[in-house]
């Protein structure tokens, strides 16, 4: 995984500068306008129809990925437990339990070793994948996060890590897998399968890809929990910065497709009844229902709400503790494990697996208590599903070392798949002893905290639910035993405990409420779940962030929050912009472009003209046109003289013809019209020009040139567009008209998406460096821009809601004075600028 740099003084990790933003904004250049001109209603409807088909396909494929993972996890787990349980039963009599432990270790270490090897192939497949998808939907390009190799390693890896007995879930990786399917399927190509090529011209932009990733992530949640509405809300709450009705409808449709694909195949495979939908998600909580013989029992009452709020507070505290411990562990791994050879990561995974296996085995054998089984008889009018659930719960009871009609409560929780253990805590009428529940909670809490972050694909939902369910069941036991509250239903308290702990760890509210309601099929639980999650989130937020936000920060990803703090409005755009610009001219020589691209790391360049005299040659009726430019010697000398002055205060790359003139050291006098023009600019100006350096106030000694840099802004061109123009030889010679320059279509411009060639890898020896490139047809002439006096909250809202990558700062007379990117809007950068602002007051 890619991790941020640690700031030595405060030991905090600052956002890194090498992450790029996704480009959600459309570039309305000439090739795009040609596409618009050729677009009619029929083509638009066909495009929309293809989008719906793709969304459906993403949902179906995500459901099939979930089916694949579930089928093989079930197969491997059943094989492992069957062998080990028969061994335990034999060895109980013969006294050879060490042999059973060795068998269990053999299975678990083999599976975890395979999972670790898969992560070595694709490191970004480690963990749950939710932090990475959250970053992607927030608009950050995380390398390798949505590649085909990632989803193969993720799905195979999570299968082995869950079957290997680690305290991890398969739900988080399902969300990542869905997102990768969403990103890759509409492209119809993969870097891993270069030979397979389809001529599929649609969806070749970050805008479309990000919408499909939103749909895929929602489909992942829907497949994991059988919660299509919860999946849609997850995608809305956790990820996407901007939203519209059309996208909501498509995302919900995708989630439904994933849920019902998975349901159809799982019901058919497990029950043999194809076409009946009985198993909605990978994790099913079953039906919560009081037994009809117990007239006092209610699922919950108004009195219980007080207990639920207290459980929410405790859940928030426990979640904050979990996050704090896990953050310290992650920092320790960054310093001591990740810099070492990759084999060390595999050894760490094996160590965790070894410890987990030994703890589970010894706890099951030694620490359990024998408890009386509850009666399994049900009245005739009980539903089939409730009987099936009861049979499922009772079939997973373990009776290690216990006499007939009793069961080992610790072994029942530890020696089962995690989903079965959750169902035991939710629905088992027999009691678990408070000591067993306390020990189980403590061991599970510590081991799952240690496990999250090792080099295997691992989810956090199921371990958190299981931990919280044990906590909730413990509360119910104590209330029944010591307070005499016989009316309470233990399953409800287990569910609320699960919600409280999970909410305290991940700090999700809207989507998690709906996911839990959909998983229980019980709408009456809406209010208690929502209240518990809100209280858990508020309590946890008092101490630290959610686990996913913590891991995002540890990677140094420049994630944008929902909104800025109120006091940030003391800053303006001019306080946070980057004033040192690297720009290009509308007509620039190839050697200049190559020099700019090879000596900077910027991904966009403002297209500018330097002064009003030359600007008239480029402007006609306020619309930039590309005509033949006659390079007059006098204007070149003037521009060279200006350039030499400006170079002291501003990093810029003049056209190569200017550089040659600069070398001649010819002293020139400025024409008198220039001074008049600057005087007019002064009179027109309402506010003074923003200073070059925010921490330095304008001084009287500054020259006009320093105070007013006349760079008229005409548009923005991306690095990828410039590289494409160079690769395809789009240029013209000085003796020709720019009309003779070859024209590229929109399809040709986006053909290399999403991996454009790198300028350092290109062989440009065939290009004549004196040739000129006219960039005006390919730049974006109308990007979003802000005034230097715009408040930071307005800048932030525009940037985040429109999904921008670059935001030029343009003054009242159309001159560019700076540029704002994602890095200028991170919380840490704004805090630093606010401190500067207070110092200058």
């Amino acid at each position: 995984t890619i991790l941020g740099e640690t700031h030595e003084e405060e030991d905090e990790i600052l956002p890194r500068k090498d992450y790029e933003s996704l480009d959600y904004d459309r570039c309305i250049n000439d090739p795009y306008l040609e596409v618009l001109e050729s677009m009619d209603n029929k083509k638009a409807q066909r495009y929309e129809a293809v989008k719906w088909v793709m969304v459906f396909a993403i949902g179906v494929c995500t459901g099939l990925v979930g089916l694949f993972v579930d089928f093989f996890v079930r197969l491997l787990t059943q094989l492992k437990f069957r062998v080990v349980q028969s061994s335990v039963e034999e060895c109980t009599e013969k006294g050879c339990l060490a042999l059973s432990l060795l068998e269990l270790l053999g299975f678990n270490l083999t599976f975890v070793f395979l999972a670790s090897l898969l992560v070595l192939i694709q490191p970004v497949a480690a963990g749950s994948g939710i932090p990475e998808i959250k970053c992607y939907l927030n608009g950050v390009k995380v390398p390798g996060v949505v590649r085909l190799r990632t989803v193969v390693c993720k799905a195979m890896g999570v299968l082995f890590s869950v079957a290997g007995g680690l305290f991890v879930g398969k739900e988080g990786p399902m969300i990542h897998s869905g997102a990768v399917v969403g990103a890759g399927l509409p492209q119809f190509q993969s870097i891993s399968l270069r030979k397979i090529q389809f001529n599929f011209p649609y969806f070749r932009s970050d805008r479309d890809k990000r919408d499909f990733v939103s749909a895929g992530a929602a489909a992942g949640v829907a497949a994991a929990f059988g919660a299509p509405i919860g999946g849609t809300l997850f995608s809305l709450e956790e990820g996407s910065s901007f939203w519209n009705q059309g996208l909501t409808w498509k995302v919900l449709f995708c989630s439904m497709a994933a849920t019902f694909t998975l349901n159809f195949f799982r019901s058919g495979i497990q029950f043999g009844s194809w076409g009946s939908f009985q198993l909605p998600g990978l994790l099913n909580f079953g039906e919560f229902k009081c037994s009809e013989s117990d007239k006092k029992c209610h699922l919950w009452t108004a009195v219980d709400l007080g207990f639920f709020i207290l459980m929410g507070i405790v859940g928030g505290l426990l979640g904050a503790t979990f996050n704090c411990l896990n953050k310290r562990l992650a920092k320790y791994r960054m310093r001591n494990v990740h810099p070492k050879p990759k084999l060390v990561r595999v050894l760490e995974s094996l160590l965790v697996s070894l410890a987990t296996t030994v703890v589970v085995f010894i706890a099951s054998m030694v620490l359990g208590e024998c408890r009386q089984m509850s009666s399994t008889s049900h009245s005739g009018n009980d539903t089939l599903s409730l009987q099936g659930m009861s049979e499922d719960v009772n079939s997973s009871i373990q009776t290690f070392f216990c006499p007939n009609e009793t069961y080992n409560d610790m072994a029942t929780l530890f020696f089962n798949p995690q989903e079965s253990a959750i169902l035991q805590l939710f629905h088992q009428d027999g009691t678990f002893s408070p000591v067993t529940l306390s020990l189980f909670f403590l061991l599970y809490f510590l081991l799952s905290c240690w496990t999250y972050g090792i080099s295997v694909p691992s989810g956090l939902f199921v371990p958190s639910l299981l931990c919280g369910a044990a906590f909730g069941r413990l509360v119910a036991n104590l209330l029944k035993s010591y307070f005499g509250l016989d009316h309470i239903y233990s399953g409800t308290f287990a569910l609320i405990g699960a919600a409280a702990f999970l909410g305290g760890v991940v700090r999700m509210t809207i989507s998690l409420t709906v996911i839990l309601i959909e998983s229980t099929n019980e709408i009456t639980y809406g209010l208690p779940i929502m209240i518990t999650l809100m209280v858990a989130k508020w309590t946890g937020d008092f101490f630290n962030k959610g686990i996913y936000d913590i891991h995002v920060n540890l990677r140094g990803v420049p994630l944008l929050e929902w909104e800025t703090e109120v006091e940030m409005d003391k800053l303006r755009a001019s306080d946070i912009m980057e004033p040192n610009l690297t720009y290009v001219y509308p007509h620039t020589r190839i050697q200049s472009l190559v020099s700019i691209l090879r000596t900077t790391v910027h991904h966009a360049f403002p297209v500018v003209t330097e002064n009003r005299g030359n600007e008239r040659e480029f402007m006609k009726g306020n619309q930039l046109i590309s005509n033949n430019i006659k390079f007059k010697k006098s204007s070149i000398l003037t521009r060279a003289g200006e350039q030499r002055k400006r170079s002291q205060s501003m990093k810029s790359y003049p056209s190569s013809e200017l550089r040659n003139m600069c070398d001649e050291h010819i002293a020139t006098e400025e024409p008198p019209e220039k001074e008049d023009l600057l005087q007019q600019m002064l009179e027109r100006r309402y506010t003074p020009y923003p200073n070059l350096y925010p921490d330095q106030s304008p001084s009287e000694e500054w020259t006009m040139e320093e105070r007013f840099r006349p760079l008229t802004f005409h548009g923005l061109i991306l690095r990828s567009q410039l590289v494409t123009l160079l690769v395809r030889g789009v240029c013209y010679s000085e003796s020709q008209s720019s009309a003779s320059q070859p024209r590229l279509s929109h399809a040709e411009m986006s053909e290399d998406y999403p991996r454009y060639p790198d300028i350092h890898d290109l062989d440009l020896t065939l290009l004549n460096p004196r040739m000129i490139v006219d960039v005006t047809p390919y730049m974006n002439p109308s990007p979003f821009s802000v005034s230097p006096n715009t408040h930071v909250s307005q800048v932030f809202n525009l940037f985040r809601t429109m999904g921008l990558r670059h935001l030029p700062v343009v003054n009242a007379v159309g001159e560019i004075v700076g540029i704002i990117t994602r890095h200028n809007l991170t919380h840490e950068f704004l805090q630093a600028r606010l401190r500067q602002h207070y110092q200058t007051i």
Side-chain angles (χ1 to χ4, degrees):
T1 39
I2 300 156
L3 295 158
E5 299 299 321
T6 306
H7 200 255
E8 288 177 9
E9 293 172 10
E10 301 169 14
D11 198 34
E12 66 170 328
I13 292 168
L14 301 172
R16 288 170 28 167
K17 293 288 180 71
D18 54 349
Y19 280 108
E20 290 178 51
S21 288
L22 295 167
D23 215 351
Y24 200 79
D25 189 26
R26 285 199 179 93
C27 177
I28 316 285
N29 54 14
D30 285 5
Y32 184 77
L33 289 174
E34 287 169 13
V35 172
L36 283 183
E37 289 296 326
S38 65
M39 185 70 76
D40 55 22
N41 281 345
K42 275 189 178 177
K43 281 187 179 177
Q45 285 166 0
R46 191 187 311 145
Y47 183 80
E48 191 68 11
V50 171
K51 219 172 199 177
W52 278 98
V53 170
M54 290 314 309
V55 161
F56 177 72
I58 289 165
V60 171
C61 290
T62 305
L64 292 175
V65 170
L67 180 74
F68 167 81
V69 171
D70 180 64
F71 180 79
F72 281 101
V73 165
R74 194 176 290 272
L75 195 73
L76 295 174
T77 309
Q78 283 175 351
L79 171 71
K80 179 180 79 173
F81 281 131
R82 196 182 306 129
V83 171
V84 175
Q85 281 171 14
S86 63
S87 169
V88 168
E89 284 165 13
E90 283 178 25
C91 286
T92 304
E93 297 166 10
K94 296 177 184 175
C96 56
L97 281 173
L99 188 64
S100 306
L101 176 58
L102 285 175
E103 284 181 5
L104 186 60
L105 276 171
F107 276 113
N108 285 355
L109 291 175
T110 306
F111 291 154
V112 171
F113 179 68
L114 291 171
S116 291
L117 286 184
L118 287 162
V119 168
L120 289 188
I121 296 169
Q122 186 70 8
V124 82
S128 72
I130 294 177
E132 288 84 354
I133 295 307
K134 190 172 176 176
C135 294
Y136 193 92
L137 294 178
N138 192 265
V140 183
K141 197 176 284 184
V142 182
V145 76
V146 288
R147 284 180 57 181
L148 176 67
R149 193 196 293 173
T150 306
V151 75
V152 171
C153 292
K154 195 90 180 181
M156 299 282 289
V158 75
L159 183 159
F160 286 122
S161 57
V162 173
L166 289 175
F167 291 168
V168 298
K170 52 185 183 282
E171 284 65 29
M174 267 305 303
I175 296 166
H176 189 180
S177 302
V180 182
V181 170
L185 200 63
Q187 300 297 310
F188 278 100
Q189 65 180 37
S190 166
I191 202 167
S192 307
L193 304 169
R194 284 190 181 86
K195 291 181 181 176
I196 300 174
Q197 291 284 344
F198 293 96
N199 184 21
F200 190 70
Y202 299 102
F203 317 127
R204 315 290 293 159
S205 71
D206 283 346
R207 186 185 187 91
D208 291 322
K209 193 171 184 177
R210 199 161 154 193
D211 286 350
F212 285 128
V213 168
S214 298
V221 177
F225 297 100
I229 301 168
T232 308
L233 289 172
F234 171 84
S235 207
L236 173 59
E237 181 185 3
E238 280 298 305
S240 308
S241 310
F242 30 80
W243 206 256
N244 58 52
Q245 283 178 316
L247 184 59
T248 312
W249 194 216
K250 289 186 186 75
V251 168
L252 182 59
F253 178 63
C254 184
S255 302
M256 287 286 184
T259 305
F260 285 99
T261 301
L262 185 66
N263 200 338
F264 176 78
F265 284 104
R266 281 191 77 205
S267 302
I269 290 168
Q270 283 189 35
F271 296 119
S273 54
W274 294 91
S276 69
F277 296 93
Q278 293 172 299
L279 294 169
L282 296 180
L283 180 64
N284 188 18
F285 292 164
E287 188 178 354
F288 289 80
K289 194 172 183 182
C290 288
S291 61
E292 297 196 0
S293 58
D294 187 359
K295 299 295 181 186
K296 285 184 181 177
C297 172
H298 299 285
L299 287 182
W300 65 279
T301 62
V303 178
D304 296 337
L305 278 177
F307 294 120
F308 297 159
I309 290 169
L310 291 174
M311 286 170 73
I313 293 170
V314 176
L317 292 170
L318 290 170
T321 310
F322 184 96
N323 293 358
C324 179
L325 291 173
N326 193 263
K327 184 178 181 179
R328 288 175 181 274
L329 265 172
K331 283 188 174 181
Y332 176 81
R333 286 187 178 114
M334 283 164 56
R335 293 196 193 98
N336 302 303
V337 178
H338 293 161
K340 291 180 180 169
K342 289 183 176 178
L343 188 63
V344 177
R345 301 186 193 186
V346 177
L347 291 174
E348 188 200 15
S349 305
L350 292 175
L351 175 66
V352 173
S353 176
L354 177 73
T356 305
T357 307
V358 171
V359 165
V360 164
F361 193 84
I362 292 175
S364 300
M365 300 303 152
V366 179
L367 300 176
E369 292 184 22
C370 292
R371 314 289 293 184
Q372 191 68 34
M373 282 193 190
S374 64
S375 60
T376 56
S377 59
H378 286 276
S379 54
N381 57 359
D382 268 350
T383 59
L384 179 68
S385 64
L386 187 63
Q387 284 180 0
M389 186 57 62
S390 176
E391 285 165 20
D392 190 29
V393 168
N394 288 327
S395 66
S396 59
I397 281 174
Q398 305 297 343
T399 58
F400 294 166
F401 312 119
C402 285
N404 291 338
E405 295 300 316
T406 60
Y407 65 96
N408 183 329
D409 57 357
M410 186 69 90
T412 300
L413 294 177
F414 266 137
F415 238 79
N416 269 315
Q418 294 175 95
E419 286 81 357
S420 300
I422 290 175
L423 288 177
Q424 286 286 347
L425 290 166
F426 283 173
H427 301 293
Q428 177 57 263
D429 292 333
T431 56
F432 294 89
S433 79
V435 176
T436 300
L437 288 170
S438 305
L439 282 170
F440 175 79
F441 173 79
L442 186 66
L443 292 172
Y444 220 93
F445 181 92
L446 295 173
L447 283 169
S448 56
C449 186
W450 186 19
T451 307
Y452 189 72
I454 61 172
S455 289
V456 295
S458 57
L460 199 60
F461 273 87
V462 170
S464 300
L465 286 169
L466 188 46
C467 240
F471 157 64
R473 190 76 190 231
L474 176 63
V475 172
N477 276 14
L478 295 175
L479 289 176
K480 276 185 174 179
S481 307
Y482 296 101
F483 292 91
L485 298 174
D486 293 331
H487 73 279
I488 64 176
Y489 179 60
S490 300
T492 300
F493 275 76
L495 176 68
I496 296 300
F501 187 76
L502 184 56
V505 172
V506 301
R507 312 284 162 81
M508 287 155 45
T509 47
I510 312 167
S511 52
L512 196 54
T513 305
V514 176
I515 286 168
L516 292 174
I517 292 170
E518 286 184 282
S519 299
T520 55
N521 284 324
E522 189 59 68
I523 192 68
T524 55
Y525 280 142
L527 181 65
I529 287 174
M530 188 173 71
I531 289 174
T532 308
L533 285 174
M534 279 167 56
V535 172
K537 177 180 163 54
W538 290 337
T539 308
D541 283 344
F542 190 75
F543 297 98
N544 53 25
K545 291 185 174 181
I547 191 79
Y548 300 135
D549 289 322
I550 285 173
H551 280 265
V552 165
N553 290 347
L554 290 175
R555 284 167 174 75
V557 179
L559 198 76
L560 297 185
E561 304 292 338
W562 281 107
E563 54 194 12
T564 57
E565 293 171 4
V566 177
E567 61 177 351
M568 293 301 173
D569 256 356
K570 294 171 184 173
L571 299 173
R572 308 287 178 104
S574 56
D575 295 319
I576 64 167
M577 70 185 186
E578 175 55 57
N580 298 319
L581 300 174
T582 303
Y583 52 82
V584 297
Y585 298 118
H587 299 256
T588 309
R589 293 200 190 279
I590 282 177
Q591 73 182 51
S592 266
L593 285 181
V594 173
S595 167
I596 290 170
L597 291 169
R598 284 188 172 163
T599 55
T600 66
V601 292
H602 304 308
H603 289 276
F605 304 95
V607 180
V608 300
T609 47
E610 277 206 5
N611 59 45
R612 304 282 167 169
N614 282 344
E615 185 183 335
R616 291 193 191 102
E617 295 181 19
F618 293 97
M619 298 292 288
K620 187 177 182 183
N622 274 345
Q623 187 180 355
L624 199 57
I625 56 167
S626 309
N627 55 2
N628 190 21
I629 306 302
K630 304 293 183 189
F631 292 105
K632 297 177 184 174
K633 191 167 184 178
S634 61
S635 70
I636 290 169
L637 294 176
T638 307
R639 287 160 72 188
E642 291 168 7
Q643 188 59 46
R644 197 181 299 136
K645 284 183 187 176
R646 186 177 298 109
S647 64
Q648 296 168 4
S649 62
M650 181 174 173
K651 181 181 178 185
S652 61
Y653 293 83
S655 303
S656 51
E657 74 273 5
L658 302 187
R659 196 170 290 161
N660 296 339
M661 285 298 181
C662 287
D663 294 338
E664 294 173 19
H665 300 293
I666 300 171
T668 57
E669 290 185 11
E670 298 236 341
E673 300 87 44
K674 180 76 180 163
E675 290 177 11
D676 295 341
L677 189 67
L678 281 173
Q679 192 57 42
Q680 290 167 23
M681 285 161 60
L682 244 183
E683 290 164 4
R684 272 203 311 247
R685 207 68 54 95
Y686 176 66
T687 55
Y689 205 83
N691 27 331
L692 299 177
Y693 305 101
D695 54 350
Q696 175 188 338
S697 55
S699 84
E700 291 299 319
E701 291 81 40
W702 278 18
T703 62
M704 282 288 190
E705 202 69 43
E706 287 170 319
R707 202 179 278 271
F708 301 99
R709 296 171 289 166
L711 292 171
T712 305
F713 179 65
H714 298 296
L716 209 58
I717 190 151
L718 299 176
R719 170 181 286 268
S720 56
Q721 292 170 326
L722 289 175
V723 171
T724 304
L725 295 179
L726 291 174
V727 168
R728 295 181 177 270
V730 177
C731 54
Y732 66 97
S733 68
E734 206 168 339
S735 58
Q736 294 175 309
S737 157
S738 63
S740 64
Q741 176 175 282
R743 305 279 289 188
L744 293 184
S745 67
H746 188 261
E748 289 170 319
M749 287 294 288
S750 59
E751 189 177 326
D752 293 321
Y753 177 84
R755 292 175 187 84
Y756 291 99
D758 186 356
I759 188 70
H760 297 285
D761 301 336
L762 297 182
D763 180 18
L764 300 172
T765 50
L766 298 175
L767 289 176
N768 178 358
R770 303 290 298 167
M771 298 285 275
I772 300 165
V773 179
D774 177 10
V775 300
T776 52
Y778 305 102
M779 71 183 188
N780 184 0
S782 53
F784 286 97
S785 61
V786 291
S787 149
N789 292 322
T790 311
H791 287 278
V792 159
S793 61
Q794 294 171 288
V795 174
F796 186 90
N797 290 338
L798 175 65
F799 196 97
R800 195 184 193 285
T801 51
M802 300 314 299
L804 303 183
R805 189 176 178 186
H806 305 94
L807 185 60
V809 183
V810 180
N811 68 9
V813 290
E815 293 162 1
I816 186 165
V817 296
I819 202 158
I820 291 171
T821 63
R822 168 176 292 275
H823 299 281
N824 302 97
L825 292 168
T826 59
H827 180 70
E828 291 78 5
F829 185 88
L830 292 177
Q831 285 282 10
R833 286 303 158 102
L834 192 64
R835 284 195 293 271
Q836 260 185 21
H837 173 76
Y838 285 136
Q839 286 166 10
T840 55
I841 292 175

